[in-house]
Amino acid sequence: MPVFKLSLKIFRKNWVAVSIYIFIFLGIAIAISANSVPEKSIGFSQEKAKVALISEEKTPLTDGFQKELSKSAVLIKLPDQTEKLQDALFFRKVTYILRIPKGFTQSVLSGGSMQMKKTVVPNSVDNAYVDLSVDQYWNLARIYAKHEPGISQQQLVNQLKTNLSGSTPVTIKAHEQAKTANSFSMYYFNFLAYTLSAALIMGVSTLMVVMNKRDIKRRNFCSPLRASSINGQLILANLLFALSAWAILILFCFILDSKSFGTQNMVYFLINSLLFTGSMTSLSYLIGNLMKNLNAMSAVCNVLTLGPCFISGVFVPQEFLNDTVLKIASFTPTYWYVQANTRIAKLTQFGWPELSPIIQSMALLLAFGAAFITVSLVVGKRKNLMNE
Amino acid sequence: MIIHVKNLVKRYGDLVALDHLSLDIKEGEIFGLLGPNGSGKSTAINCILSLLNYDKGDVEIFGKKMTPDAYDLKRDIGIVMQNVAVFDELTVYENIDYFCGLYVRDRAERKRLVEEAVAFVELDQFRKFYPKKLSGGLLRRLNIACGIAHKPKLIILDEPTVAVDPQSRNKILEGIERLNAQGATIVYTSHYMEEVEQICSRIVIMDKGRIIASGTQEELKAMITLGEKITVEAFSIEEEQLHQLRELTGIVSVDHMDNRLVIKSDKGNNNLETVLEFLKSHQIGFGRIYSEMPTLNDVFLEITGKQLRD
Ligand SMILES: Nc1ncnc2c1ncn2[C@@H]1O[C@H](COP(=O)(O)OP(=O)(O)OP(=O)(O)O)[C@@H](O)[C@H]1O
Ligand SMILES: [Mg+2]
């Protein structure tokens, strides 16, 4: 297989250009891994806000509320004097003062609209949790009161307690994070879009441009090797190159973040990146068939890798890009690759509803690949050597 | 017949690059295709090899019709293109090995052939060089090695010696004669008549896509009326004497410029003696004297009215 062997030699000659991209990429990847290892999501300890609860009435329901609130906040006892309360806020002895007005319990039970009064230190994150617990308790109380008329206050308190105590399975899921969400692997696979495109264009397109030079093509055509055999060997060499580039980059990911390789998410990362490799290989093949010489190679490579990567959310997450940009980006395989990646990273369940948008993106990657190959064939037919 | 071409017509738009070209190349000969730039030599070669579509005509090689997928015919053909076709990414040795590998599978056999080709073009000390590092002449030699390494039965060389220095050129020409002696039929195109005269056993002269003359060297020269050309260093000669000289039988033209007397004569006569006698009897002092037989350039000049080389 002389043409196959020749191709490998040409790849080897190109190795420096390709490896520059890979090493820049690895540098970036390692820099990210140093910064982005998520600390918070591992130890999940909640900061508790300091709350002064002043109740103008004492009912079983308000007692129950006080107990419930004490789980998510530190309750501070303060005398009910305006001046003292304001001082406490000012000196941050408390960040949240909640006042239950007289008749509030009755209002809740009868479906009235009486509100509690709250005074807060502005911009305190912890207060958000307090708001959440307060709303949760009283809204639930209102719902029970409405749907079970005649329920006693004590019964209601017990109901609420069981309902709010511990965490129901539903709330667990809402808070569970996939191991790969925001992980090194997610960033790595997103950036992979850039490096893989660059490596493939530098490798595959360069080979095709070299082999398509008119005099070389004529010279090969003089040999007893069939045209189909020459093309077959070229395609084989290109596929081998693409797979090796992919495998090397995945190997680096394994070295840098082997933990992620135990997850089911990784399987989908791998499939997705492999499909992306396929579509970029056929794009590179097309470019190689369109370009006349190697002078513009690195310029073309930069435009075709950096461009789609910027607008598809490789460097900046897609949610920060505007809709027009994303619309344009959706005409590139990179967009669908990144989209699938981001979704895969967050997967905690692997049922059809979660997977179907991912599979859709993957199918589009395949479609892109097929389209590029088809165009290459059409272009090749048009450019018949014998008419030049 | 190794190559049989009949009524080949190739047009580029309005330009007729080959105008009913017919050639017959016999086994064992060194066939020269001579013509000035743009006369259609490369076009003819490309059409013969099915590298170009042509409008009309038949091409047979080794007695079989040549088509783009006549792979069994291609196996026995070696081609050295006018444009150097080598890979910048491969060394001299690797290049020859690649092109030889298109024909020869066996490794040991190929190694032997490649070594022979390297020696043939004398690129031994450059075998690890990349083509970008070779001079124009060395690159040409690499191009030749790539075309002939597999020892084909038919070798076609399209102006292989452009930019090659005279010593190397002579080596290459000798090499081609050696390949021919080993049994290869050679087709050699050039616009250097000296080369063609030196090695070719049969010559076709082309101009504007047409064959204007063909035959052996002697046959071609016999076609023209011109005989030898005599040049004499003569410092003083009178107009009257020049006139008398022109009147002599067998003399076609006489010019005197820059102390040089150029006398062209008919074929066949012993004109040198006549001229010498005339100079002596008129007591005209003269220095060196040369006599040249007509060249292919003179043939071309006489047929087309223009020089072969611009
Ligand atoms: N691709 C082309 N398109 C149009 N015209 C062409 C093309 N190739 C060659 N020609 C024309 O065909 C004629 C013959 O060209 P060709 O290259 O065969 O000449 P040649 O005898 O090989 O000349 P040279 O000694 O310069 O190599 C020229 O007039 C040239 O301009
Ligand atoms: Mg030519």
Side-chain angles (χ1 to χ4, degrees):
Chain A
M1 299 222 289
V3 178
F4 181 76
K5 273 191 224 151
L6 167 80
S7 308
L8 298 190
K9 278 182 185 158
I10 293 175
F11 287 140
R12 214 179 308 146
K13 200 79 185 61
N14 259 332
W15 169 241
V16 176
V18 174
S19 61
I20 286 173
Y21 282 98
I22 292 182
F23 284 114
I24 290 174
F25 165 70
L26 278 180
I28 297 173
I30 289 169
I32 293 168
S33 79
N35 288 330
S36 79
V37 172
E39 300 136 24
K40 277 211 174 150
S41 59
I42 298 169
F44 188 74
S45 83
Q46 188 186 325
E47 285 291 313
K48 289 184 172 178
K50 293 180 207 134
V51 179
L53 178 65
I54 295 166
S55 186
E56 291 173 359
E57 62 176 10
K58 188 169 160 54
T59 62
L61 212 49
T62 59
D63 284 347
F65 171 63
Q66 190 167 356
K67 261 193 205 134
E68 206 55 51
L69 186 61
S70 68
K71 286 181 195 163
S72 57
V74 181
L75 294 182
I76 307 278
K77 277 217 157 61
L78 286 179
D80 186 6
Q81 292 165 14
T82 317
E83 208 169 305
K84 293 236 164 99
L85 290 174
Q86 276 174 350
D87 281 354
L89 269 183
F90 184 77
F91 292 110
R92 300 287 194 273
K93 269 172 82 178
V94 295
T95 56
Y96 198 116
I97 298 171
L98 187 64
R99 179 182 292 275
I100 301 176
K102 211 167 178 57
F104 182 71
T105 309
Q106 202 47 53
S107 163
V108 168
L109 292 176
S110 60
S113 63
M114 189 184 269
Q115 293 292 319
M116 288 176 288
K117 295 193 185 101
K118 68 172 188 175
T119 318
V120 297
V121 174
N123 299 330
S124 167
V125 179
D126 303 331
N127 286 346
Y129 291 115
V130 180
D131 281 337
L132 217 63
S133 330
V134 172
D135 288 347
Q136 209 173 18
Y137 189 88
W138 292 109
N139 286 343
L140 215 52
R142 280 194 172 91
I143 290 165
Y144 275 113
K146 190 173 172 193
H147 290 282
E148 289 179 47
I151 188 171
S152 80
Q153 276 202 36
Q154 198 49 56
Q155 278 174 317
L156 187 51
V157 170
N158 290 340
Q159 276 289 1
L160 290 174
K161 201 174 158 194
T162 45
N163 240 311
L164 296 170
S165 79
S167 331
T168 56
V170 181
T171 37
I172 285 179
K173 268 186 193 156
H175 289 282
E176 190 197 41
Q177 257 202 335
K179 283 203 194 76
T180 45
N182 295 315
S183 68
F184 172 75
S185 290
M186 184 189 96
Y187 289 107
Y188 189 92
F189 275 94
N190 271 354
F191 274 104
L192 202 65
Y194 171 65
T195 322
L196 259 182
S197 329
L200 290 174
I201 291 179
M202 287 311 277
V204 173
S205 302
T206 303
L207 175 65
M208 293 319 293
V209 171
V210 168
M211 294 306 288
N212 281 333
K213 281 186 196 161
R214 196 185 70 174
D215 294 320
I216 293 283
K217 221 173 167 176
R218 277 195 174 155
R219 182 61 189 82
N220 280 330
F221 194 69
C222 288
S223 79
L225 224 54
R226 282 167 190 283
S228 58
S229 163
I230 293 179
N231 287 333
Q233 291 182 39
L234 281 176
I235 288 169
L236 198 64
N238 282 328
L239 288 179
L240 182 71
F241 175 82
L243 270 181
S244 327
W246 177 81
I248 289 170
L249 288 168
I250 297 300
L251 180 72
F252 282 130
C253 183
F254 180 76
I255 293 169
L256 292 168
D257 183 21
S258 51
K259 280 195 307 275
S260 296
F261 277 73
T263 64
Q264 206 174 339
N265 304 52
M266 185 51 72
V267 177
Y268 291 93
F269 275 140
L270 294 180
I271 296 174
N272 192 34
S273 59
L274 206 53
L275 288 172
F276 180 70
T277 306
S279 71
M280 285 318 282
T281 307
S282 65
L283 174 65
S284 308
Y285 185 78
L286 172 63
I287 295 165
N289 281 319
L290 289 177
M291 283 179 64
K292 283 249 150 57
N293 56 50
L294 292 175
N295 302 338
M297 199 67 209
S298 60
V300 168
C301 177
N302 282 331
V303 169
L304 285 178
T305 54
L306 284 176
C309 285
F310 269 118
I311 61 173
S312 298
V314 169
F315 303 120
V316 182
Q318 285 188 347
E319 55 256 40
F320 294 145
L321 295 168
N322 90 28
D323 285 347
T324 329
V325 170
L326 287 178
K327 277 240 172 62
I328 298 170
S330 68
F331 289 99
T332 69
T334 315
Y335 173 86
W336 299 101
Y337 169 72
V338 172
Q339 190 166 73
N341 248 356
T342 317
R343 287 217 170 97
I344 292 169
K346 291 184 188 138
L347 279 184
T348 52
Q349 289 217 309
F350 297 86
W352 179 249
E354 294 83 11
L355 285 179
S356 75
I358 293 169
I359 289 171
Q360 232 168 50
S361 299
M362 290 178 171
L364 277 164
L365 286 180
L366 266 181
F368 270 109
F372 292 139
I373 286 289
T374 313
V375 177
S376 308
L377 292 179
V378 172
V379 170
K381 276 256 161 65
R382 284 263 182 90
K383 262 198 338 192
N384 191 343
L385 180 70
M386 289 180 65
N387 293 323
E388 276 175 33
Chain B
M1 219 54 80
I2 296 287
I3 298 182
H4 172 73
V5 176
K6 201 161 170 222
N7 288 329
L8 199 55
V9 177
K10 167 75 190 172
R11 289 198 192 88
Y12 290 115
D14 286 340
L15 181 99
V16 183
L18 295 179
D19 187 359
H20 294 87
L21 182 84
S22 296
L23 293 173
D24 277 308
I25 297 167
K26 299 188 202 84
E27 181 158 12
E29 66 181 350
I30 302 185
F31 182 87
L33 200 52
L34 184 65
N37 292 136
S39 54
K41 304 181 294 289
S42 300
T43 305
I45 300 292
N46 287 335
C47 288
I48 289 172
L49 290 169
S50 281
L51 292 174
L52 266 180
N53 279 326
Y54 43 87
D55 299 280
K56 226 179 95 182
D58 301 308
V59 177
E60 282 179 13
I61 299 182
F62 305 130
K64 289 190 197 138
K65 189 166 170 50
M66 182 64 184
T67 60
D69 28 55
Y71 298 107
D72 50 333
L73 299 186
K74 290 182 181 183
R75 187 169 298 282
D76 290 321
I77 303 174
I79 168 83
V80 177
M81 301 270 202
Q82 181 171 7
N83 297 330
V84 175
V86 297
F87 292 96
D88 290 337
E89 291 80 6
L90 302 186
T91 61
V92 164
Y93 187 91
E94 287 170 334
N95 262 301
I96 303 173
D97 186 57
Y98 167 73
F99 286 108
C100 188
L102 293 175
Y103 303 81
V104 181
R105 281 276 169 80
D106 184 72
R107 260 169 172 253
E109 165 84 348
R110 193 164 74 232
K111 190 166 177 346
R112 191 180 60 75
L113 289 171
V114 174
E115 289 297 344
E116 244 177 79
V118 169
F120 179 77
V121 291
E122 300 184 333
L123 281 177
D124 200 38
Q125 47 176 322
F126 300 101
R127 59 169 66 217
K128 291 236 167 68
F129 277 52
Y130 286 96
K132 284 254 158 71
K133 296 264 162 74
L134 295 180
S135 72
L138 294 176
L139 198 58
R140 286 271 154 197
R141 278 147 68 172
L142 171 60
N143 196 36
I144 294 172
C146 290
I148 54 115
H150 60 287
K151 291 265 163 77
K153 277 197 256 173
L154 167 65
I155 304 176
I156 299 177
L157 305 107
D158 193 0
E159 307 208 24
T161 58
V162 179
V164 176
D165 65 56
Q167 287 103 310
S168 314
R169 177 182 302 190
N170 275 331
K171 289 252 170 60
I172 289 171
L173 293 181
E174 281 165 22
I176 289 171
E177 285 180 309
R178 213 160 52 235
L179 288 172
N180 177 246
Q182 289 167 14
T185 305
I186 313 275
V187 177
Y188 192 97
T189 87
S190 179
H191 60 267
Y192 291 115
M193 51 180 180
E194 297 92 340
E195 285 185 353
V196 173
E197 274 184 53
Q198 192 177 331
I199 62 168
C200 293
S201 46
R202 219 155 54 82
I203 300 162
V204 157
I205 303 183
M206 278 183 78
D207 189 39
K208 295 183 182 153
R210 255 173 302 179
I211 294 178
I212 55 171
S214 70
T216 63
Q217 233 188 97
E218 292 72 28
E219 283 167 356
L220 285 174
K221 287 176 186 169
M223 278 167 52
I224 59 174
T225 51
L226 211 62
E228 61 190 329
K229 183 171 87 180
I230 300 160
T231 310
V232 184
E233 275 181 8
F235 304 102
S236 63
I237 184 163
E238 284 155 28
E239 200 53 45
E240 172 61 22
Q241 290 168 328
L242 282 181
H243 189 72
Q244 288 173 3
L245 200 50
R246 282 194 191 104
E247 297 296 295
L248 293 176
T249 49
I251 302 293
V252 176
S253 74
V254 176
D255 290 295
H256 188 235
M257 263 180 83
D258 305 332
N259 297 327
R260 246 167 216 277
L261 191 59
V262 178
I263 300 156
K264 287 184 180 168
S265 65
D266 265 350
K267 277 194 291 207
N269 297 324
N270 192 359
N271 299 300
L272 185 58
E273 211 178 310
T274 322
V275 172
L276 279 175
E277 263 168 26
F278 179 86
L279 292 174
K280 271 186 207 151
S281 62
H282 288 80
Q283 292 176 332
I284 299 167
F286 59 91
R288 280 182 290 179
I289 199 161
Y290 338 88
S291 157
E292 293 166 87
M293 292 312 282
T295 62
L296 289 177
N297 187 35
D298 297 309
V299 176
F300 190 77
L301 184 64
E302 188 164 321
I303 298 173
T304 66
K306 59 182 185 187
Q307 300 275 339
L308 192 51
R309 263 192 276 170
D310 343 271

PDB file of all heavy atoms in Angstrom, chain A residues 173-191:
ATOM      1  N   LYS A 173     -33.422  14.719  44.274  1.00  0.00           N
ATOM      2  CA  LYS A 173     -33.062  14.762  42.866  1.00  0.00           C
ATOM      3  C   LYS A 173     -32.820  16.171  42.379  1.00  0.00           C
ATOM      4  O   LYS A 173     -31.907  16.431  41.616  1.00  0.00           O
ATOM      5  CB  LYS A 173     -34.155  14.102  42.036  1.00  0.00           C
ATOM      6  CG  LYS A 173     -33.841  12.649  41.855  1.00  0.00           C
ATOM      7  CD  LYS A 173     -34.793  11.987  40.925  1.00  0.00           C
ATOM      8  CE  LYS A 173     -34.614  10.498  41.048  1.00  0.00           C
ATOM      9  NZ  LYS A 173     -35.821   9.798  40.646  1.00  0.00           N
ATOM     10  N   ALA A 174     -33.672  17.060  42.853  1.00  0.00           N
ATOM     11  CA  ALA A 174     -33.532  18.440  42.407  1.00  0.00           C
ATOM     12  C   ALA A 174     -32.159  18.989  42.788  1.00  0.00           C
ATOM     13  O   ALA A 174     -31.598  19.820  42.093  1.00  0.00           O
ATOM     14  CB  ALA A 174     -34.620  19.295  43.009  1.00  0.00           C
ATOM     15  N   HIS A 175     -31.616  18.476  43.866  1.00  0.00           N
ATOM     16  CA  HIS A 175     -30.353  19.035  44.325  1.00  0.00           C
ATOM     17  C   HIS A 175     -29.141  18.219  43.927  1.00  0.00           C
ATOM     18  O   HIS A 175     -28.026  18.686  44.043  1.00  0.00           O
ATOM     19  CB  HIS A 175     -30.377  19.198  45.853  1.00  0.00           C
ATOM     20  CG  HIS A 175     -31.292  20.296  46.287  1.00  0.00           C
ATOM     21  ND1 HIS A 175     -30.944  21.618  46.208  1.00  0.00           N
ATOM     22  CD2 HIS A 175     -32.565  20.261  46.737  1.00  0.00           C
ATOM     23  CE1 HIS A 175     -31.950  22.359  46.620  1.00  0.00           C
ATOM     24  NE2 HIS A 175     -32.963  21.561  46.945  1.00  0.00           N
ATOM     25  N   GLU A 176     -29.387  16.989  43.467  1.00  0.00           N
ATOM     26  CA  GLU A 176     -28.248  16.158  43.120  1.00  0.00           C
ATOM     27  C   GLU A 176     -27.574  16.703  41.867  1.00  0.00           C
ATOM     28  O   GLU A 176     -28.222  17.118  40.916  1.00  0.00           O
ATOM     29  CB  GLU A 176     -28.690  14.714  42.869  1.00  0.00           C
ATOM     30  CG  GLU A 176     -27.513  13.784  42.741  1.00  0.00           C
ATOM     31  CD  GLU A 176     -27.901  12.461  42.100  1.00  0.00           C
ATOM     32  OE1 GLU A 176     -28.691  12.481  41.146  1.00  0.00           O
ATOM     33  OE2 GLU A 176     -27.409  11.444  42.555  1.00  0.00           O
ATOM     34  N   GLN A 177     -26.258  16.675  41.888  1.00  0.00           N
ATOM     35  CA  GLN A 177     -25.527  17.137  40.718  1.00  0.00           C
ATOM     36  C   GLN A 177     -24.830  15.950  40.081  1.00  0.00           C
ATOM     37  O   GLN A 177     -24.331  15.075  40.788  1.00  0.00           O
ATOM     38  CB  GLN A 177     -24.456  18.123  41.173  1.00  0.00           C
ATOM     39  CG  GLN A 177     -24.817  19.555  40.912  1.00  0.00           C
ATOM     40  CD  GLN A 177     -23.579  20.398  40.872  1.00  0.00           C
ATOM     41  OE1 GLN A 177     -22.576  20.044  41.449  1.00  0.00           O
ATOM     42  NE2 GLN A 177     -23.646  21.502  40.184  1.00  0.00           N
ATOM     43  N   ALA A 178     -24.793  15.944  38.752  1.00  0.00           N
ATOM     44  CA  ALA A 178     -24.020  14.895  38.102  1.00  0.00           C
ATOM     45  C   ALA A 178     -22.556  15.092  38.466  1.00  0.00           C
ATOM     46  O   ALA A 178     -22.106  16.222  38.645  1.00  0.00           O
ATOM     47  CB  ALA A 178     -24.204  14.987  36.602  1.00  0.00           C
ATOM     48  N   LYS A 179     -21.834  13.983  38.584  1.00  0.00           N
ATOM     49  CA  LYS A 179     -20.409  14.087  38.955  1.00  0.00           C
ATOM     50  C   LYS A 179     -19.634  14.882  37.913  1.00  0.00           C
ATOM     51  O   LYS A 179     -18.630  15.497  38.198  1.00  0.00           O
ATOM     52  CB  LYS A 179     -19.801  12.685  39.067  1.00  0.00           C
ATOM     53  CG  LYS A 179     -20.165  11.976  40.346  1.00  0.00           C
ATOM     54  CD  LYS A 179     -19.134  10.902  40.662  1.00  0.00           C
ATOM     55  CE  LYS A 179     -19.624   9.941  41.731  1.00  0.00           C
ATOM     56  NZ  LYS A 179     -20.617   8.971  41.175  1.00  0.00           N
ATOM     57  N   THR A 180     -20.150  14.824  36.670  1.00  0.00           N
ATOM     58  CA  THR A 180     -19.401  15.464  35.599  1.00  0.00           C
ATOM     59  C   THR A 180     -19.807  16.919  35.372  1.00  0.00           C
ATOM     60  O   THR A 180     -19.174  17.622  34.596  1.00  0.00           O
ATOM     61  CB  THR A 180     -19.604  14.698  34.291  1.00  0.00           C
ATOM     62  OG1 THR A 180     -20.991  14.408  34.162  1.00  0.00           O
ATOM     63  CG2 THR A 180     -18.802  13.419  34.296  1.00  0.00           C
ATOM     64  N   ALA A 181     -20.902  17.372  36.046  1.00  0.00           N
ATOM     65  CA  ALA A 181     -21.327  18.746  35.822  1.00  0.00           C
ATOM     66  C   ALA A 181     -20.217  19.681  36.266  1.00  0.00           C
ATOM     67  O   ALA A 181     -19.678  19.551  37.363  1.00  0.00           O
ATOM     68  CB  ALA A 181     -22.611  19.019  36.589  1.00  0.00           C
ATOM     69  N   ASN A 182     -19.863  20.627  35.414  1.00  0.00           N
ATOM     70  CA  ASN A 182     -18.786  21.579  35.694  1.00  0.00           C
ATOM     71  C   ASN A 182     -17.455  20.908  36.028  1.00  0.00           C
ATOM     72  O   ASN A 182     -16.576  21.522  36.604  1.00  0.00           O
ATOM     73  CB  ASN A 182     -19.163  22.511  36.845  1.00  0.00           C
ATOM     74  CG  ASN A 182     -20.326  23.375  36.460  1.00  0.00           C
ATOM     75  OD1 ASN A 182     -20.356  23.925  35.367  1.00  0.00           O
ATOM     76  ND2 ASN A 182     -21.304  23.457  37.333  1.00  0.00           N
ATOM     77  N   SER A 183     -17.319  19.649  35.663  1.00  0.00           N
ATOM     78  CA  SER A 183     -16.079  18.955  35.990  1.00  0.00           C
ATOM     79  C   SER A 183     -14.999  19.300  34.972  1.00  0.00           C
ATOM     80  O   SER A 183     -15.275  19.913  33.938  1.00  0.00           O
ATOM     81  CB  SER A 183     -16.307  17.449  35.961  1.00  0.00           C
ATOM     82  OG  SER A 183     -16.555  17.061  34.631  1.00  0.00           O
ATOM     83  N   PHE A 184     -13.797  18.861  35.259  1.00  0.00           N
ATOM     84  CA  PHE A 184     -12.703  19.033  34.327  1.00  0.00           C
ATOM     85  C   PHE A 184     -13.052  18.420  32.971  1.00  0.00           C
ATOM     86  O   PHE A 184     -12.821  19.015  31.925  1.00  0.00           O
ATOM     87  CB  PHE A 184     -11.445  18.377  34.894  1.00  0.00           C
ATOM     88  CG  PHE A 184     -10.313  18.340  33.926  1.00  0.00           C
ATOM     89  CD1 PHE A 184      -9.600  19.496  33.656  1.00  0.00           C
ATOM     90  CD2 PHE A 184      -9.977  17.170  33.271  1.00  0.00           C
ATOM     91  CE1 PHE A 184      -8.560  19.473  32.754  1.00  0.00           C
ATOM     92  CE2 PHE A 184      -8.946  17.145  32.364  1.00  0.00           C
ATOM     93  CZ  PHE A 184      -8.234  18.302  32.113  1.00  0.00           C
ATOM     94  N   SER A 185     -13.648  17.229  33.036  1.00  0.00           N
ATOM     95  CA  SER A 185     -13.949  16.536  31.785  1.00  0.00           C
ATOM     96  C   SER A 185     -14.870  17.346  30.890  1.00  0.00           C
ATOM     97  O   SER A 185     -14.702  17.389  29.679  1.00  0.00           O
ATOM     98  CB  SER A 185     -14.580  15.178  32.058  1.00  0.00           C
ATOM     99  OG  SER A 185     -13.612  14.329  32.607  1.00  0.00           O
ATOM    100  N   MET A 186     -15.863  18.018  31.505  1.00  0.00           N
ATOM    101  CA  MET A 186     -16.773  18.788  30.678  1.00  0.00           C
ATOM    102  C   MET A 186     -16.011  19.880  29.930  1.00  0.00           C
ATOM    103  O   MET A 186     -16.158  20.044  28.730  1.00  0.00           O
ATOM    104  CB  MET A 186     -17.871  19.413  31.513  1.00  0.00           C
ATOM    105  CG  MET A 186     -18.878  20.136  30.662  1.00  0.00           C
ATOM    106  SD  MET A 186     -20.035  21.077  31.638  1.00  0.00           S
ATOM    107  CE  MET A 186     -19.284  22.682  31.601  1.00  0.00           C
ATOM    108  N   TYR A 187     -15.181  20.609  30.666  1.00  0.00           N
ATOM    109  CA  TYR A 187     -14.397  21.654  30.015  1.00  0.00           C
ATOM    110  C   TYR A 187     -13.468  21.055  28.969  1.00  0.00           C
ATOM    111  O   TYR A 187     -13.317  21.564  27.880  1.00  0.00           O
ATOM    112  CB  TYR A 187     -13.567  22.430  31.037  1.00  0.00           C
ATOM    113  CG  TYR A 187     -14.412  23.317  31.913  1.00  0.00           C
ATOM    114  CD1 TYR A 187     -14.634  22.991  33.237  1.00  0.00           C
ATOM    115  CD2 TYR A 187     -14.991  24.466  31.390  1.00  0.00           C
ATOM    116  CE1 TYR A 187     -15.424  23.802  34.041  1.00  0.00           C
ATOM    117  CE2 TYR A 187     -15.779  25.274  32.187  1.00  0.00           C
ATOM    118  CZ  TYR A 187     -15.993  24.941  33.516  1.00  0.00           C
ATOM    119  OH  TYR A 187     -16.768  25.740  34.287  1.00  0.00           O
ATOM    120  N   TYR A 188     -12.867  19.949  29.346  1.00  0.00           N
ATOM    121  CA  TYR A 188     -11.914  19.300  28.443  1.00  0.00           C
ATOM    122  C   TYR A 188     -12.594  18.928  27.137  1.00  0.00           C
ATOM    123  O   TYR A 188     -12.110  19.227  26.047  1.00  0.00           O
ATOM    124  CB  TYR A 188     -11.332  18.056  29.110  1.00  0.00           C
ATOM    125  CG  TYR A 188     -10.176  17.442  28.354  1.00  0.00           C
ATOM    126  CD1 TYR A 188      -8.869  17.801  28.641  1.00  0.00           C
ATOM    127  CD2 TYR A 188     -10.395  16.512  27.347  1.00  0.00           C
ATOM    128  CE1 TYR A 188      -7.812  17.247  27.950  1.00  0.00           C
ATOM    129  CE2 TYR A 188      -9.348  15.958  26.649  1.00  0.00           C
ATOM    130  CZ  TYR A 188      -8.054  16.323  26.951  1.00  0.00           C
ATOM    131  OH  TYR A 188      -7.014  15.780  26.267  1.00  0.00           O
ATOM    132  N   PHE A 189     -13.742  18.311  27.243  1.00  0.00           N
ATOM    133  CA  PHE A 189     -14.410  17.884  26.010  1.00  0.00           C
ATOM    134  C   PHE A 189     -14.907  19.060  25.193  1.00  0.00           C
ATOM    135  O   PHE A 189     -14.932  18.992  23.966  1.00  0.00           O
ATOM    136  CB  PHE A 189     -15.538  16.898  26.322  1.00  0.00           C
ATOM    137  CG  PHE A 189     -15.043  15.494  26.447  1.00  0.00           C
ATOM    138  CD1 PHE A 189     -14.715  14.964  27.686  1.00  0.00           C
ATOM    139  CD2 PHE A 189     -14.845  14.707  25.326  1.00  0.00           C
ATOM    140  CE1 PHE A 189     -14.219  13.683  27.798  1.00  0.00           C
ATOM    141  CE2 PHE A 189     -14.345  13.427  25.432  1.00  0.00           C
ATOM    142  CZ  PHE A 189     -14.039  12.915  26.672  1.00  0.00           C
ATOM    143  N   ASN A 190     -15.290  20.145  25.850  1.00  0.00           N
ATOM    144  CA  ASN A 190     -15.660  21.332  25.079  1.00  0.00           C
ATOM    145  C   ASN A 190     -14.464  21.880  24.308  1.00  0.00           C
ATOM    146  O   ASN A 190     -14.553  22.144  23.121  1.00  0.00           O
ATOM    147  CB  ASN A 190     -16.223  22.410  25.993  1.00  0.00           C
ATOM    148  CG  ASN A 190     -17.728  22.248  26.163  1.00  0.00           C
ATOM    149  OD1 ASN A 190     -18.342  21.406  25.505  1.00  0.00           O
ATOM    150  ND2 ASN A 190     -18.310  23.025  27.042  1.00  0.00           N
ATOM    151  N   PHE A 191     -13.337  22.024  25.008  1.00  0.00           N
ATOM    152  CA  PHE A 191     -12.141  22.541  24.343  1.00  0.00           C
ATOM    153  C   PHE A 191     -11.625  21.592  23.264  1.00  0.00           C
ATOM    154  O   PHE A 191     -10.984  22.000  22.314  1.00  0.00           O
ATOM    155  CB  PHE A 191     -11.028  22.805  25.353  1.00  0.00           C
ATOM    156  CG  PHE A 191     -11.125  24.153  25.984  1.00  0.00           C
ATOM    157  CD1 PHE A 191     -11.589  24.287  27.267  1.00  0.00           C
ATOM    158  CD2 PHE A 191     -10.773  25.294  25.272  1.00  0.00           C
ATOM    159  CE1 PHE A 191     -11.703  25.532  27.845  1.00  0.00           C
ATOM    160  CE2 PHE A 191     -10.886  26.539  25.843  1.00  0.00           C
ATOM    161  CZ  PHE A 191     -11.357  26.665  27.139  1.00  0.00           C
TER     162      PHE A 191
END
